[in-house]
């Protein structure tokens, strides 16, 4: 699972909320559920009622007692009509007594006592009613009804009719009765009867298709290797299938017809990733095929259903959109979900407390693929961004990675499990070395194949591979909370020729043992020292021939820490030009950006405009203080060159944005020419830049761009229209806001609210108020409600001043609806 991104703005809003009172549920130990019966095989025959949003199902589930004899069975079955439950005896269904009072699970009295060498098969005739199910979602997975009918009546313009499922965490039991726990494993057969015009997808292999006389078709999918119930999936709809392959296995991509021409651009690197992961792990991709499907209105980011990953539609893009895509725009999701086919599907977390052995690994895989495919700078940039995401997450420092106490299992899907966990694995890779680390992963996978795993089994595998005791590492990082807050300072004693490094951990809580490399640069040479910090306050001294040019603590830039490194700007300058890593240069750019008056800082920034990594070129461009004459005079020719010729469109866009802030009419030709770029990012930056020089010209230009705009260009047009437009521009703004994704919508809220307040037509104002209300309710889980309410209060005041009482009342009603929403 890749959960929806919590943006910086959302995280800030969330952090500003009053902390909730302590939840008694946090004191409950979340044990692995006791196994009374084991799933063996699940056979389903389903058909769909689009009008009622029902699934009519027949199920044959084969089980056996786990160890102790039993005459009872409990299955999870959420919100269903259970019409018949029988045991199958000699081909006949013998009815059984059952109790189904809570509409969440059914207690079945078996026909006899079964022992663990006896299989039995239960037949169930049922109706699933997911839209009538009252199950709450979370910040990570915003709904939990398991089965989703998208535009089933075809009444929503420009939206396809689809059906798809979402099983994680325990929502598969909303569409078929099962033991809905990750510790269970079962083989699977699903027969789906659907309108013949649609295609289907499920786990495993399509083994049969039968065309029926009533305009339907029946497809049968078989998954012959065991996996957990939450990984079951179905999808039905009008999809075009692009077939690829890895070795002799089918690799396929299911897309809406209008995106089918871009299938290879979106997903075409998948076989290469499968090959890389297979070789790196020493375990070939284990399933019969690998499919990826893109659906509408998905409730999270993506889901690693076994052999059939389901993606939200944000990965679906045209050629022009993909021009601006960097690794984080969809590609990281694709590789994340693919790595789950090993870590999560092949070996599955024994319980949600140990979700780290699923999600931390998938997060970590993003870094190693970026490093392999795009270079070490890309991998390091991704690693650092994820670390910052964890460090910025409110309350994350109080939570263990392996979490036996939580209020809701959904709460474990957070920045600790994903971003922190991925960084912990990357640190361990650095500490053990690649060979030992990947040998450990190989042992873990082969030892627990088609079974379940937890962090202790992971530790044992690493210990077997490396020969080292790793309890110290797992105790502090897996079973402890927080991270070191590290202060580093330096002292050179000329009399004794001694350099002393002072290390201090200032965090509350545990003291971290930190192995680290320290590189000392002196006389044109670099000498590496392997050191340990074992105490909250530590110091290390070195006898040297002379004062070093640089002492680079944590030289591999691998530690998960919030760090203050007390270097001089001269030392940071030396670091930028001589130390090898992305973060060495990033830190130097940060130091230079903080005070751009000195020559050394300017030297760093001007050089960094031409850094080999595009992300640092973008960072530097955004950091420049162009109000300083010497900075502007040195940077402007380079920025013009970057805007015209850089091979990365995001760098070109950043350069245009920086030049636009100068409001220099001499750049207008450059901006106007950039409007014809194939890149939406470049076009968007150019439009913003023109608007700062000539808003009227920008408005005219924007009209010509309305027919084909996405991403940054759409955002630029919306900013222009909400700032300088009127009722004539409202239809575009309104439609763009409705169609925007979660992050884009949140970013646009303030401007959208401002325009809602000032449009002349009351019906336009009320359209805006309705959408703001919907956003406030939808984003309430992210802490957005107070911000939305503030905007609605401003709109109410503005409409009252305009004597638009109907819109003022609509705003008042919207405020109440947002505040009252659960």
């Amino acid at each position: 699972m890749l959960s929806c991104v919590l943006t910086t703005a959302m995280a800030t809003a969330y952090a500003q909320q009053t902390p909730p009172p302590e939840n008694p549920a946090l004191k409950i130990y979340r044990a692995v559920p006791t196994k009374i019966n084991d799933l063996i095989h699940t056979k389903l025959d389903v058909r769909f009622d689009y009008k009622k949003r029902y699934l009519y199902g027949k199920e044959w589930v084969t089980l056996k007692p786990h160890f102790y004899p039993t005459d009872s069975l409990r299955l999870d079955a959420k919100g269903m009509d259970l019409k018949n439950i029988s045991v199958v005896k000699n081909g006949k269904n013998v009815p059984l007594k059952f109790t189904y009072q809570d509409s969440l699970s059914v207690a079945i009295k078996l026909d006899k006592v079964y022992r663990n060498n006896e299989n039995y098969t239960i037949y169930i005739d049922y109706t699933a009613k997911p839209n009538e199910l009252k199950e709450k979602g979370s910040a990570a997975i915003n709904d939990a009804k398991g089965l989703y009918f998208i535009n089933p009546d075809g009444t929503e313009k420009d939206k396809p009719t689809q059906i798809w499922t979402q099983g994680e965490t325990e929502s598969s039991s909303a569409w078929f009765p099962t033991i809905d726990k990750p510790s269970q494993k079962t083989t699977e057969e699903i027969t789906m009867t659907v309108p013949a015009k649609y295609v289907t997808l499920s786990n495993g292999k399509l083994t049969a298709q039968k065309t029926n006389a009533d305009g339907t078709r029946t497809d049968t999918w078989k998954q012959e290797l065991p996996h957990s119930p939450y990984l079951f999936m179905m999808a039905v709809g009008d999809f075009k299938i692009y077939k690829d392959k890895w070795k002799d296995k089918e690799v396929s991509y299911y897309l809406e017809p209008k995106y089918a021409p871009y299938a290879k651009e979106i997903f075409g690197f998948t076989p290469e990733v499968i090959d890389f992961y297979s070789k790196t792990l020493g375990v070939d991709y284990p399933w019969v095929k690998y499919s990826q499907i893109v659906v509408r209105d998905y409730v999270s980011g993506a889901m690693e259903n076994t052999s059939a990953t389901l993606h939200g539609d944000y990965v679906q893009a045209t050629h022009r959109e993909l021009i601006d895509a960097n690794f984080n725009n969809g590609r990281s999701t694709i590789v994340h979900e693919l790595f789950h086919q090993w870590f999560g599907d092949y070996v599955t977390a024994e319980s949600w407390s140990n979700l780290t052995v699923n999600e931390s690994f998938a997060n970590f895989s993003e870094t190693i693929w970026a490093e392999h495919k795009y270079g070490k700078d890309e991998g390091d940039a991704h690693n650092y961004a994820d670390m910052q995401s964890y460090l910025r997450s409110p309350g994350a420092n109080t939570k263990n990675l392996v979490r036996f106490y939580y209020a809701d299992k959904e709460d474990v899907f957070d920045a600790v499990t994903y971003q922190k966990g991925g960084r912990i694995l990357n640190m361990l890779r650095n500490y053990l070395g690649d060979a030992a680390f990947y040998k450990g992963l190989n042992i873990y996978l082969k030892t627990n194949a088609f079974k379940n795993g937890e962090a202790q089994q992971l530790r044992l595998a690493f210990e077997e591979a490396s020969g080292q005791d790793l309890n110290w590492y797992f105790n502090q990082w897996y079973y402890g909370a927080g991270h070191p807050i590290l202060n580093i300072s330096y002292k050179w004693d000329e009399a004794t020729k001694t350099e002393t490094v002072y290390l201090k951990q200032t965090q509350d809580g545990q003291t971290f043992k930190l192995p680290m490399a320290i590189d000392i640069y002196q006389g044109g040479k670099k000498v590496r020292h392997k050191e340990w910090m074992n105490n909250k306050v530590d110091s290390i001294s070195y006898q040297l021939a002379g004062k070093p040019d640089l002492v680079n603590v944590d030289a591999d830039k691998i530690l998960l820490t919030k760090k203050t490194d007390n270097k001089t700007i001269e030392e940071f300058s030396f670091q930028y030009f001589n130390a090898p890593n992305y973060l060495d240069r990033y830190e130097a750019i940060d130091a230079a950006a903080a005070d751009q008056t000195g020559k050394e800082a300017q030297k760093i920034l001007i050089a960094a405009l031409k850094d080999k990594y595009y992300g640092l070129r973008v960072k530097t461009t955004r950091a420049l203080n162009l109000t300083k004459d010497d900075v502007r005079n040195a940077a402007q020719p380079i920025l013009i060159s970057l805007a015209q010729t850089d091979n990365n469109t995001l760098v070109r866009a950043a350069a245009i944005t920086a030049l636009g802030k100068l409001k220099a009419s001499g750049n207008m030709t450059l901006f106007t020419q950039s409007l014809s770029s194939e890149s939406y990012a470049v076009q968007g930056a150019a439009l913003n830049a023109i608007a700062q020089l000539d808003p009227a010209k920008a408005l005219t230009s924007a009209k010509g761009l309305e027919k084909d705009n996405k991403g940054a260009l759409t955002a630029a047009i919306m900013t222009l229209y909400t700032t300088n437009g009127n009722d004539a521009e409202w239809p575009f703004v309104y439609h763009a806001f409705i169609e925007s994704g979660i992050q884009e919508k949140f970013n646009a809220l303030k401007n959208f609210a401002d325009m809602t307040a000032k449009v002349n037509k009351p019906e336009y104002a009320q359209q805006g108020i309705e959408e703001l209300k919907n956003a406030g309710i939808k984003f309430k889980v992210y802490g957005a409600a107070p911000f939305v309410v503030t905007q609605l209060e401003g709109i109410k005041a503005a409409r009252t001043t305009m004597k638009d009482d109907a819109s003022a009342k609509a705003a008042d009603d919207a405020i109440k609806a947002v505040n009252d929403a659960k």
Side-chain angles (χ1 to χ4, degrees):
M1 167 69 68
L2 186 77
S3 61
C4 291
V5 176
L6 183 66
T7 65
T8 301
M10 291 180 188
T12 301
Y14 190 77
Q16 290 170 350
Q17 295 185 100
T18 303
E22 186 175 0
N23 191 328
L26 291 172
K27 298 185 181 300
I28 300 172
Y29 178 79
R30 305 294 178 174
V32 178
T34 300
K35 286 186 176 182
I36 299 170
N37 289 283
D38 290 343
L39 296 172
I40 296 174
H41 182 66
T42 303
K43 180 180 179 181
L44 300 170
D45 185 346
V46 304
R47 60 189 63 228
F48 306 97
D49 188 325
Y50 283 79
K51 185 176 181 180
K52 293 182 177 179
R53 283 71 160 164
Y54 286 177
L55 175 151
Y56 302 118
K58 299 182 188 300
E59 176 176 16
W60 295 262
V61 56
T62 302
L63 311 98
K64 74 175 185 64
H66 180 75
F67 185 80
Y68 300 105
T70 186
D71 63 354
S72 63
L73 168 66
R74 182 173 287 276
L75 296 176
D76 299 296
K78 298 185 175 80
M80 298 179 179
D81 288 343
L82 300 174
K83 300 172 186 176
N84 181 305
I85 299 180
S86 301
V87 63
V88 180
K89 291 284 190 180
N90 299 318
K92 295 183 178 179
N93 297 333
V94 179
L96 298 173
K97 293 181 179 180
F98 62 91
T99 304
Y100 186 51
Q101 293 177 335
D102 61 1
S103 292
L104 294 175
S105 67
V106 57
I108 303 167
K109 181 71 173 177
L110 301 176
D111 61 316
K112 67 166 196 167
V113 174
Y114 287 87
R115 301 184 182 280
N116 68 354
N117 60 352
E118 296 178 278
N119 293 356
Y120 61 92
T121 298
I122 300 297
Y123 166 77
I124 305 173
D125 186 356
Y126 67 98
T127 301
K129 303 177 177 181
N131 282 30
E132 299 172 22
L133 185 62
K134 304 301 180 186
E135 284 284 289
K136 71 181 184 72
S138 66
I141 309 164
N142 64 40
D143 201 291
K145 61 188 180 185
L147 175 66
Y148 297 81
F149 289 83
I150 307 303
N151 195 20
D153 303 319
T155 55
E156 296 180 69
K157 186 182 177 183
D158 299 326
K159 180 179 285 188
T161 297
Q162 298 174 348
I163 294 173
W164 47 263
T165 61
Q166 165 55 37
E168 196 171 36
T169 48
E170 296 173 7
S171 297
S172 286
S173 50
W175 61 276
F176 68 96
T178 188
I179 304 175
D180 206 353
K181 303 297 177 187
S183 55
Q184 290 283 341
K185 296 266 183 168
T186 172
T187 53
E188 164 201 341
E189 179 179 336
I190 296 182
T191 296
M192 285 180 266
T193 298
V194 301
K197 63 183 178 180
Y198 293 143
V199 300
T200 68
L201 178 65
S202 187
N203 315 97
K205 189 174 184 179
L206 180 62
T207 60
Q209 288 191 302
K210 177 188 172 187
T211 301
N212 305 312
D214 61 356
T216 64
R217 191 186 69 255
T218 300
D219 292 355
T220 299
W221 293 83
K222 289 186 179 180
Q223 167 66 30
E224 296 179 340
L225 297 171
H227 64 148
S228 294
Y230 78 88
L231 297 165
F232 279 41
M233 77 83 70
M234 298 185 298
V236 182
D238 181 15
F239 299 100
K240 295 296 183 185
I241 308 170
Y242 184 100
K243 292 195 175 180
D244 214 332
K245 69 176 183 176
W246 175 73
K247 294 187 175 179
D248 61 344
K249 293 186 177 183
E250 179 186 308
V251 177
S252 54
Y253 319 128
Y254 289 61
L255 291 153
E256 290 178 37
K258 69 177 180 179
Y259 289 100
Y262 315 110
K264 191 76 171 175
E265 283 187 84
I266 298 167
F267 290 121
F269 65 103
T270 301
E272 185 184 355
V273 189
I274 295 175
D275 199 62
F276 171 66
Y277 287 162
S278 296
K279 289 175 179 175
T280 300
L281 298 171
V283 175
D284 272 359
Y285 176 79
W287 312 105
V288 69
K289 64 106 166 57
Y290 188 58
S291 299
Q292 295 179 93
I293 188 167
V294 183
V295 302
R296 292 291 189 99
D297 297 350
Y298 186 51
V299 294
S300 189
M303 181 63 208
E304 67 275 11
N305 309 297
T306 307
S307 79
T309 285
L310 187 146
H311 290 280
D313 62 4
Y314 71 96
V315 303
Q316 202 162 239
T318 65
H319 170 72
R320 287 194 65 191
E321 290 174 277
L322 291 167
I323 290 171
D324 298 324
N326 60 19
F327 175 62
N328 293 315
N329 296 126
R331 293 187 177 104
S332 62
T333 306
I334 291 167
V335 302
H336 175 112
E337 303 307 329
L338 179 49
F339 205 70
H340 269 310
Q341 301 298 316
W342 288 266
F343 287 88
D345 299 6
Y346 187 64
V347 182
T348 307
E350 188 176 39
S351 72
W352 303 119
S353 293
N354 270 279
L355 183 63
T356 178
V357 299
N358 289 11
E359 294 299 349
S360 300
F361 273 106
N363 181 279
F364 163 77
S365 76
E366 300 168 29
T367 293
I368 62 171
W369 171 255
E371 184 181 292
H372 168 78
K373 180 65 175 176
Y374 306 108
K376 192 171 186 301
D377 280 348
E378 187 74 71
D380 287 351
H382 192 76
N383 192 65
Y384 182 70
D386 271 4
M387 183 176 78
Q388 293 305 308
S389 179
Y390 156 71
L391 291 173
R392 289 193 302 262
S393 296
N397 64 317
T398 66
K399 300 172 184 175
N400 294 352
L401 181 57
V402 178
R403 211 168 313 164
F404 294 110
Y405 297 88
Y406 52 77
D408 189 303
K409 59 189 179 298
E410 309 294 339
D411 299 342
V412 186
F413 292 78
D414 62 9
V416 176
T417 297
Y418 286 76
Q419 286 85 357
K420 183 183 181 183
R423 311 295 67 71
I424 288 168
L425 287 167
N426 207 39
M427 281 194 299
L428 188 58
R429 175 171 72 125
N430 179 267
Y431 174 71
L432 294 177
D434 279 9
F437 180 83
Y438 290 121
K439 179 62 177 175
L441 297 192
N442 178 268
I443 292 168
Y444 172 81
L445 289 171
K446 288 183 174 177
T447 302
N448 303 293
F450 303 110
K451 296 187 293 186
N452 296 88
E454 59 168 81
Q456 294 291 14
Q457 289 163 310
L458 186 64
R459 175 182 62 82
L460 292 171
F462 283 130
E463 290 184 345
E464 182 180 340
S466 68
Q468 297 189 43
D469 185 310
L470 293 172
N471 272 296
W472 67 272
Y473 192 88
F474 277 74
N475 286 342
Q476 73 180 21
W477 289 115
Y478 279 79
Y479 300 102
H483 53 271
I485 300 176
L486 190 59
N487 188 286
I488 308 167
S489 56
Y490 311 87
K491 181 181 178 183
W492 169 252
D493 188 321
E494 180 65 30
T496 61
K497 304 293 185 186
T498 303
E499 176 77 13
T500 303
V501 180
Y502 298 95
L503 303 170
K504 185 178 181 181
Q505 295 182 33
T506 62
Q507 74 280 359
D508 295 330
Q510 67 170 319
T511 300
F512 288 83
K513 291 178 64 175
L514 301 175
M516 65 181 77
I518 298 180
D519 286 351
I520 298 179
Y521 292 78
Q522 184 189 42
K525 295 181 180 179
K526 179 180 77 174
V527 178
R528 170 156 292 196
H529 301 266
K530 294 290 187 72
E531 307 288 3
W532 284 77
M533 183 182 186
N534 294 311
N535 305 298
K536 278 235 169 153
V537 178
D538 227 333
S539 64
I540 308 165
S541 295
Y542 302 97
Q543 293 292 128
L544 302 171
K547 188 179 190 310
D549 297 302
L550 175 69
V551 177
N552 201 8
V553 175
D554 182 26
D556 289 330
K557 297 296 181 280
I558 201 72
L559 292 180
L560 196 170
T561 180
K562 186 175 182 181
K563 179 176 67 172
T564 301
D565 199 344
N566 295 288
K567 293 188 176 92
T568 65
I569 191 63
E570 289 76 20
E571 288 168 329
F572 274 121
S573 180
F574 187 93
Q575 180 173 304
Y576 180 85
F577 290 104
N578 294 276
N581 292 316
Y582 161 85
L583 202 50
D584 292 313
R585 284 140 45 221
Y586 184 104
E587 290 174 353
I589 293 166
D590 262 355
D595 182 0
Q596 302 184 25
T597 56
K599 295 297 183 185
E600 210 63 51
Q602 293 173 19
K603 177 183 171 185
I604 294 169
L605 294 172
I606 298 306
L609 284 174
K610 300 178 182 179
D611 194 277
K612 63 178 181 175
Y613 178 60
Y614 80 92
L616 291 181
R617 299 199 296 279
V618 170
K619 175 180 174 62
T620 306
T621 300
R622 291 173 176 170
L624 290 171
N625 183 353
L626 296 175
T627 63
K628 294 187 177 297
D629 292 347
D630 43 3
V631 174
R632 183 179 63 256
N633 292 338
Q636 190 168 356
I638 302 172
L639 290 173
I640 291 171
S641 176
L642 292 177
Q644 293 174 327
T645 65
D646 197 276
N647 60 9
N648 186 282
T649 58
L650 301 181
V651 177
R652 296 211 302 272
I656 291 168
T657 299
L659 291 168
K661 292 175 182 177
L662 297 177
K663 299 182 181 180
S665 58
N667 289 323
M668 180 61 91
T669 300
L670 168 61
F671 302 152
T672 304
Q673 290 173 343
S674 297
L675 283 179
S676 62
S677 171
E678 196 177 9
S679 159
Y680 290 126
V682 171
Q683 285 184 307
L687 186 64
N688 284 331
I690 293 169
Q692 295 186 69
L693 283 169
D694 187 344
K697 179 176 181 177
L699 281 168
T700 302
S701 298
K703 292 296 180 182
L705 298 169
E706 282 190 10
K707 290 182 180 179
D708 182 6
N709 61 91
K710 293 285 179 70
L713 179 56
T714 305
I717 297 173
M718 284 188 70
T719 299
L720 178 67
Y721 284 177
T722 54
T723 305
N724 298 292
N726 52 41
D727 285 33
E729 285 70 46
W730 173 259
F732 177 91
V733 171
Y734 176 63
H735 180 75
F737 187 79
I738 290 174
E739 294 297 315
S740 59
I742 180 171
Q743 182 162 344
E744 291 77 13
K745 190 165 287 186
F746 198 89
N747 292 342
L749 272 174
K750 179 68 170 65
N751 284 345
F752 183 75
D754 289 346
M755 192 171 189
T756 299
K758 72 180 183 182
V759 287
N760 291 315
K761 289 186 179 180
E763 57 264 41
Y764 286 174
Q766 288 161 39
Q767 285 178 341
I769 289 164
E770 180 69 14
E771 284 308 308
L772 287 164
K773 179 191 76 174
N774 294 340
I777 293 170
K778 184 175 182 179
F779 299 153
K780 193 164 189 174
V781 68
Y782 300 119
F787 178 75
V788 173
V789 166
T790 298
Q791 303 310 308
L792 288 167
E793 287 170 343
I795 293 168
K796 178 185 173 183
R799 303 313 297 189
T800 299
T801 300
M802 295 169 69
K803 308 287 195 237
D804 179 8
D805 295 337
S807 297
K809 183 180 184 304
D812 210 30
D813 293 343
I815 291 167
K816 185 177 187 305
V818 173
N819 285 330
D820 291 349
K822 301 298 183 185

